[in-house]
Amino acid sequence: MISAGSKELLQDFEKRMRFVNLIKYWLQRSKPTEIREILHNNDDKTDNLILMVMVFIMDNTLRYGERCTKQDITVFLRELADIYGYEPEEAKTLTDYIVTDVLQSGGKVRRFETFDSHDEKFHEQGSLILFEQQSGSYVLTNEAYEFLFRTKEIDSELDFSVSRFKLQEFIKRGNYGKALRESRELVSRVRNLKTRMDDFMLRCRINISEVSIDEYEDIVDQVRDSFENENKQLSDIRSLVSAKLQAFAVAEIKEDRQICQTEKEIHEILENIDTVISEQSRVFNQKFTLSELYADLLDDSFSYLQAGHFDIEQELLLPLQKMQLKDSKDVGKLFAPLYRPEFPHLFGIDLFYRRQNSIREVSRDDGIDITSDDTAENVADIRNERYVEIIRGLLSFAEKRAVFNFSEYLDNVSKTQLHEQMQEKALPDVMLKLYGLGEIDIAGWRSAQHDIIVPVGEFDLSYCLSELPEESVQMESIMIYKLDNVITLSDHKGGHIEMNDFKIEVRR
């Protein structure tokens, strides 16, 4: 049994291990001979190159909002050829290796045994995926962003809290020399932020058009994140330091020089903490002044810009009142600014009334022609029943399996059933919508209260589940993952639909 002290020490230990597992995810990679030769058997360079590719994907998808494809990664790796000492034409090989074998783990799902601090046992931590493929481009998952942010971007946001935490830990362990350095660092950080706010307010007053809303929000967010919950923590640290100082006062003095030095350090730590608390309060209060100033200057700026708007009363209504009847032919000139632009007439009006020809030689039959209300109701019923049968088939197939692929399910569906489920592309549409959900939380659906509304021919998962018998919906949840391999579905007209295969994981 773990003691109370060790239990506190290991609290939320699984969160630390998740970060470690993310590192293991791409460090424990396969190392083909061809890749070793390209990178000269240098594992350190390989690690650097993999991380650079992840940063490149993040930069492309977040900073610029662009798509990031394999071709984009290959171009990026060609730029690094001289630095790493490989030939530019080998960049494509490196791209395939990093994307497929490392970041996608060769298509294998990796799980890790992790100690859980809540029940003090080892559990299998969920599968880790670094990025996802969407229509030929790549997007990082939340785990990958967390990993990259911890390595650089989030450091500046955590600087104040980290310094405060280190100060507290040094004092607990009696390391007053290092605690003094951290207290000085806290004073420096809070004063730097105050200087930044003063500079921002000055630039707002000089010319607000040169100050972006992003910079304003960044400053306000930094003040809130750094100081909102820190005041109580600093007060607790001050109480801890005061208690340490009192303990020195009543203790027997054995080494006068050492005791005097320690007391001097503690006194300075107390002064620094008082300074930080005082400056912190000023900065936090100044945030509201900054917000009011920024809002007032923006209002003044917009009021100034509005002076140049078109004044309908002055430009139209008053001249109209003064016009005589004989001048009515000139009324149109007053309304010219409000007219839409006139374009030359390139086509005669008879074109719109001419009989239209069919674009296709053979008319398409994309569904049932709805010609009356009764027909519309029948079509909706047919589509609803079709969606229910698709969900019934998938759940029936999943009852005796923990993991299976969508292609395996297709192999067990009769031709008649498949022909019906492919009507109006119903089956692929349902799979894409289920994949969009990611997880089908059947247990959550069972426990919730539902007001079932019969859909008008649209796919509604809740309605489909409500139409199934209770024994068919006893599993906890179903996870759906997209695979790289492509499968082909044939519809009832002889057409073909290509789509990714899916991995379906059943949890009971």
Side-chain angles (χ1 to χ4, degrees):
M1 191 67 181
I2 298 178
S3 64
S6 298
K7 188 177 183 67
E8 181 180 358
L9 178 70
L10 298 177
Q11 186 176 2
D12 293 332
F13 181 80
E14 60 274 10
K15 294 182 180 178
R16 299 177 185 268
M17 282 305 301
R18 186 166 186 84
F19 180 59
V20 173
N21 291 337
L22 279 165
I23 299 176
K24 290 168 59 181
Y25 183 93
W26 56 274
L27 284 180
Q28 296 177 353
R29 62 184 184 275
S30 59
K31 303 172 185 176
T33 304
E34 182 182 11
I35 302 299
R36 285 182 173 275
E37 292 175 354
I38 293 176
L39 296 174
H40 313 293
N41 292 318
N42 193 320
D43 284 344
D44 292 337
K45 285 188 176 181
T46 307
D47 295 340
N48 280 264
L49 191 62
I50 293 169
L51 189 58
M52 284 182 179
V53 170
M54 291 183 65
V55 172
F56 175 77
I57 295 173
M58 180 187 70
D59 189 73
N60 265 30
T61 54
L62 282 185
R63 184 175 182 180
Y64 302 111
E66 299 174 349
R67 289 159 49 89
C68 184
T69 63
K70 269 192 175 183
Q71 184 178 0
D72 297 327
I73 299 173
T74 302
V75 173
F76 173 67
L77 291 180
R78 286 199 191 104
E79 297 176 0
L80 302 176
D82 290 338
I83 299 174
Y84 282 87
Y86 56 79
E87 297 299 325
E89 56 267 23
E90 294 174 326
K92 187 177 185 306
T93 303
L94 288 173
T95 299
D96 293 336
Y97 165 69
I98 293 175
V99 169
T100 304
D101 294 348
V102 179
L103 299 182
Q104 289 183 327
S105 191
K108 299 177 181 177
V109 177
R110 291 195 176 183
R111 300 177 182 274
F112 301 91
E113 288 288 329
T114 304
F115 176 81
D116 191 308
S117 61
H118 299 290
D119 58 8
E120 302 178 5
K121 295 180 181 179
F122 279 88
H123 292 292
E124 188 177 69
Q125 197 173 67
S127 60
L128 298 176
I129 301 174
L130 291 181
F131 72 157
E132 298 175 340
Q133 185 175 356
Q134 297 179 359
S135 303
S137 63
Y138 300 105
V139 178
L140 296 179
T141 61
N142 289 338
E143 287 85 0
Y145 285 133
E146 179 186 13
F147 169 70
L148 291 177
F149 288 163
R150 284 180 182 271
T151 58
K152 179 179 181 291
E153 279 77 4
I154 206 170
D155 287 347
S156 60
E157 299 297 331
L158 294 178
D159 280 345
F160 189 90
S161 296
V162 170
S163 296
R164 188 264 305 158
F165 175 77
K166 290 167 65 178
L167 170 64
Q168 180 177 350
E169 295 303 309
F170 284 140
I171 292 173
K172 284 182 178 179
R173 290 162 175 78
N175 194 340
Y176 300 105
K178 291 185 177 180
L180 179 58
R181 288 201 298 271
E182 293 300 330
S183 68
R184 292 169 179 168
E185 182 68 18
L186 287 177
V187 173
S188 174
R189 291 190 187 284
V190 71
R191 286 178 174 169
N192 286 341
L193 183 55
K194 185 178 184 300
T195 302
R196 184 183 175 191
M197 292 180 68
D198 292 338
D199 176 68
F200 180 81
M201 294 174 71
L202 178 61
R203 288 189 292 117
C204 284
R205 290 189 175 98
I206 294 174
N207 188 356
I208 194 171
S209 63
E210 296 182 358
V211 179
S212 68
I213 185 66
D214 291 335
E215 185 178 0
Y216 164 73
E217 291 179 347
D218 179 55
I219 292 177
V220 172
D221 290 343
Q222 186 175 354
V223 172
R224 184 183 64 248
D225 296 340
S226 298
F227 299 153
E228 196 167 44
N229 299 317
E230 295 291 337
N231 192 271
K232 182 179 183 303
Q233 302 286 349
L234 286 171
S235 299
D236 293 341
I237 293 175
R238 194 189 187 289
S239 300
L240 178 63
V241 175
S242 299
K244 295 283 186 180
L245 187 61
Q246 292 177 2
F248 273 105
V250 299
E252 295 182 1
I253 299 177
K254 296 181 179 179
E255 300 178 11
D256 293 341
R257 182 179 300 176
Q258 182 64 32
I259 292 294
C260 290
Q261 177 64 25
T262 301
E263 286 184 339
K264 182 179 178 181
E265 291 173 347
I266 293 177
H267 279 295
E268 187 175 348
I269 291 172
L270 280 173
E271 292 176 2
N272 289 338
I273 292 176
D274 289 338
T275 301
V276 172
I277 292 175
S278 176
E279 295 285 349
Q280 189 184 66
S281 299
R282 290 196 188 96
V283 169
F284 199 74
N285 292 331
Q286 190 175 355
K287 182 189 74 168
F288 300 101
T289 305
L290 174 66
S291 300
E292 292 176 0
L293 171 68
Y294 191 71
D296 291 342
L297 291 175
L298 281 179
D299 288 341
D300 294 341
S301 176
F302 282 123
S303 298
Y304 175 77
L305 292 175
Q306 287 171 356
H309 288 180
F310 187 82
D311 191 333
I312 293 180
E313 181 180 7
Q314 293 294 328
E315 302 295 334
L316 292 178
L317 299 181
L318 292 179
L320 278 174
Q321 291 177 358
K322 297 176 182 179
M323 288 183 67
Q324 302 295 327
L325 183 61
K326 61 182 180 180
D327 299 324
S328 60
K329 62 181 180 180
D330 295 325
V331 170
K333 296 179 182 180
L334 294 173
F335 290 93
L338 303 180
Y339 290 162
R340 292 182 179 180
E342 294 185 1
F343 298 98
H345 298 285
L346 303 179
F347 302 100
I349 195 170
D350 62 317
L351 176 66
F352 298 98
Y353 294 96
R354 188 179 302 166
R355 183 175 180 180
Q356 303 297 310
N357 294 324
S358 175
I359 296 177
R360 300 179 181 85
E361 295 182 359
V362 181
S363 61
R364 289 176 52 184
D365 181 16
D366 289 333
I368 302 173
D369 184 20
I370 301 176
T371 57
S372 68
D373 292 340
D374 293 338
T375 306
E377 291 180 4
N378 292 335
V379 171
D381 292 340
I382 292 172
R383 289 173 178 166
N384 290 343
E385 182 60 28
R386 185 181 298 143
Y387 290 136
V388 171
E389 289 304 316
I390 291 174
I391 298 300
R392 188 196 309 275
L394 282 171
L395 294 186
S396 298
F397 190 76
E399 284 182 352
K400 299 180 181 179
R401 295 166 178 83
V403 179
F404 65 93
N405 291 349
F406 178 56
S407 55
E408 297 176 33
Y409 165 73
L410 293 177
D411 293 338
N412 287 269
V413 178
S414 67
K415 292 184 178 180
T416 303
Q417 288 178 312
L418 188 59
H419 179 273
E420 170 58 27
Q421 294 179 6
M422 285 299 296
Q423 295 283 339
E424 302 179 284
K425 301 178 183 178
L427 182 58
D429 286 347
V430 168
M431 285 306 301
L432 289 175
K433 289 175 181 177
L434 294 180
Y435 169 69
L437 295 175
E439 178 182 6
I440 305 175
D441 186 5
I442 299 179
W445 175 84
R446 287 199 308 266
S447 61
Q449 297 292 330
H450 301 282
D451 294 328
I452 302 299
I453 299 176
V454 179
V456 189
E458 299 89 6
F459 174 66
D460 187 330
L461 179 59
S462 181
Y463 169 77
C464 293
L465 293 175
S466 68
E467 291 294 299
L468 301 181
E470 291 187 6
E471 58 270 16
S472 299
V473 289
Q474 293 304 309
M475 55 198 69
E476 292 296 316
S477 63
I478 294 177
M479 305 294 295
I480 300 177
Y481 308 97
K482 184 169 65 174
L483 302 176
D484 290 336
N485 55 301
V486 177
I487 59 176
T488 303
L489 300 176
S490 300
D491 59 22
H492 64 289
K493 300 174 186 176
H496 300 287
I497 299 174
E498 290 187 350
M499 62 184 295
N500 287 81
D501 197 1
F502 296 97
K503 176 184 174 181
I504 301 172
E505 182 178 318
V506 184
R507 299 178 180 177
R508 295 179 171 82

